[in-house]
Amino acid sequence: SRGGAIVYEGGYDGLLRSETVTGKHLKRPLRLNSDVRRPTGILPVRNANLHNLKNINVDFPAGVLTVVTGVAGSGKSTLVHDVFLAQHPDAVVIGQSAVGASTRSNPATYTGIMDDIRKAFAAANKVNPGLFSFNSKGACENCQGLGVVYADVAFLDEVKLPCEVCGGKRFKEEVLEYKLNGRSIADVLAMTAEQALEFFRSSKEIARKLQALNDVGLGYITLGQPLSTLSGGECQRIKLAGELHKRGSIYIMDEPTTGLHMSDIGLILGIMNRLADAGNTVVVIEHNLDVIAQADWIIDLGPDGGSRGGEVVFEGTPEQIIRAERSITG
């Protein structure tokens, strides 16, 4: 709701002078991380020769932020997803695949907040929690909790119309009578993650999960918005939010900055740092220079792609890679 306006039109020089978020970020210099964390141990990979990997030995430092870099086809995914992950199958993997895009799933159900919200409504009104599910007892009978009805129009495509019984709210009328602090379940699902965080401040568990959604920069999405309406970058961040309140010892992320604006990359970096500060091992495959520059440790594969890749070109800190002759990343 805070977007949708054109904030600048014109040439590149004008954009740099504009005070837009994009203009400000384009002017920022790249800063290399000089205060790197000390590893708490090592996670070795030995004699890796899958696909184009050339029998490599590499040590992943534990308890720090490691970024795996290299040109396309250099062997990054093979090393991380196929070799490293096979040795550490308990790692939490946050990849680029779409989240379940059913029209019935939304940010509240995906992150598990919905279960807690249903319990809170049930406790406040002394009724069954199933009433507050549009997939269960509380669903509007006309649209089966979808909020829309589909009409066949002769040989044309199906037409989707808001349900005339519930007005798109998905719930039975009697369910909407039950309130929690003056709001119905439909009112809560219409809230943004930011508004909901304020509303559920006193509920520790719900607030913690909502805080994660806000931390990944998704404070503007509504809790009841179908996941099928989210962009690829939003999908990856909602996965990240779903994992943030867990305690995994190893996190693997595959190009988490894909599709993100420079201002959002700062948020993602903040999350990676938070995970590493908590003692987790964070391994990120990434091309984005801002992320690479802020790593504690870099493993650079190459020197090129395909059969000319598969070697470890460099291992070390961001300040050291800029002096590495063979590294294209450097």
Side-chain angles (χ1 to χ4, degrees):
S1 62
R2 289 183 295 209
I6 293 171
V7 289
Y8 174 78
E9 283 184 84
Y12 179 69
D13 290 341
L15 179 60
L16 288 180
R17 290 193 300 274
S18 74
E19 283 303 295
T20 63
V21 182
T22 307
K24 285 175 184 167
H25 276 83
L26 284 172
K27 285 186 293 199
R28 279 194 348 193
L30 191 69
R31 283 195 304 276
L32 299 177
N33 182 9
S34 54
D35 184 22
V36 296
R37 295 177 185 86
R38 291 235 166 274
T40 53
I42 61 159
L43 305 166
V45 167
R46 294 290 174 262
N47 308 319
N49 53 18
L50 190 65
H51 304 320
N52 69 336
L53 296 180
K54 296 186 171 61
N55 216 32
I56 63 173
N57 297 315
V58 63
D59 292 329
F60 285 81
V64 305
L65 169 58
T66 298
V67 180
V68 180
T69 60
V71 299
S74 57
K76 303 183 297 296
S77 294
T78 302
L79 176 63
V80 175
H81 287 293
D82 298 335
V83 181
F84 181 75
L85 189 56
Q87 294 179 12
H88 304 281
D90 52 340
V92 175
V93 183
I94 302 162
Q96 293 176 337
S97 56
V99 285
S102 134
T103 48
R104 291 187 177 273
S105 48
N106 57 39
T109 56
Y110 185 80
T111 53
I113 299 169
M114 195 65 195
D115 294 337
D116 301 320
I117 291 175
R118 277 198 287 267
K119 285 175 195 158
F121 267 92
N125 294 283
K126 298 184 173 49
V127 289
N128 188 312
L131 274 178
F132 303 101
S133 166
F134 51 69
N135 295 323
S136 182
K137 297 174 183 170
C140 162
E141 280 155 6
N142 187 55
C143 64
Q144 271 79 54
L146 281 173
V148 293
V149 287
Y150 293 91
D152 280 322
V153 188
F155 48 81
L156 299 174
D157 284 346
E158 252 183 349
V159 178
K160 192 162 73 170
L161 302 164
C163 172
E164 66 273 16
V165 175
C166 66
K169 290 185 173 172
R170 298 179 157 207
F171 294 93
K172 290 176 186 165
E173 195 54 53
E174 59 263 34
V175 174
L176 299 177
E177 304 284 305
Y178 295 117
K179 299 284 198 288
L180 177 68
N181 298 333
R183 299 296 186 95
S184 73
I185 184 74
D187 293 336
V188 168
L189 287 175
M191 290 178 183
T192 62
E194 204 171 6
Q195 292 164 338
L197 182 59
E198 206 45 57
F199 184 75
F200 287 108
R201 214 27 113 180
S202 56
S203 167
K204 211 167 168 186
E205 190 55 26
I206 300 177
R208 194 161 60 91
K209 292 175 184 174
L210 283 167
Q211 187 63 55
L213 271 179
N214 283 277
D215 286 349
V216 296
L218 293 177
Y220 60 89
I221 62 171
T222 61
L223 298 187
Q225 187 175 333
L227 290 184
S228 52
T229 63
L230 299 185
S231 72
E234 287 170 333
C235 284
Q236 193 158 30
R237 283 187 287 163
I238 205 165
K239 283 187 206 174
L240 203 47
E243 299 294 351
L244 265 189
H245 53 270
K246 296 181 184 173
R247 278 279 165 265
S249 57
I250 302 173
Y251 286 83
I252 293 173
M253 297 183 205
D254 195 345
E255 294 184 43
T257 64
T258 301
L260 295 191
H261 186 269
M262 295 92 93
S263 59
D264 295 319
I265 289 168
L267 288 168
I268 295 290
L269 255 172
I271 290 156
M272 292 175 192
N273 282 319
R274 220 171 83 190
L275 290 169
D277 286 340
N280 296 299
T281 300
V282 185
V283 177
V284 184
I285 298 173
E286 192 53 88
H287 292 293
N288 181 276
L289 289 179
D290 286 300
V291 175
I292 299 169
Q294 288 305 305
D296 296 312
W297 193 253
I298 297 170
I299 297 170
D300 192 38
L301 297 182
D304 218 318
S307 60
R308 292 191 301 244
E311 297 172 46
V312 177
V313 175
F314 170 83
E315 288 179 85
T317 66
E319 288 189 326
Q320 292 165 339
I321 197 172
I322 57 174
R323 295 191 293 277
E325 297 282 312
R326 287 181 74 213
S327 168
I328 298 175
T329 306

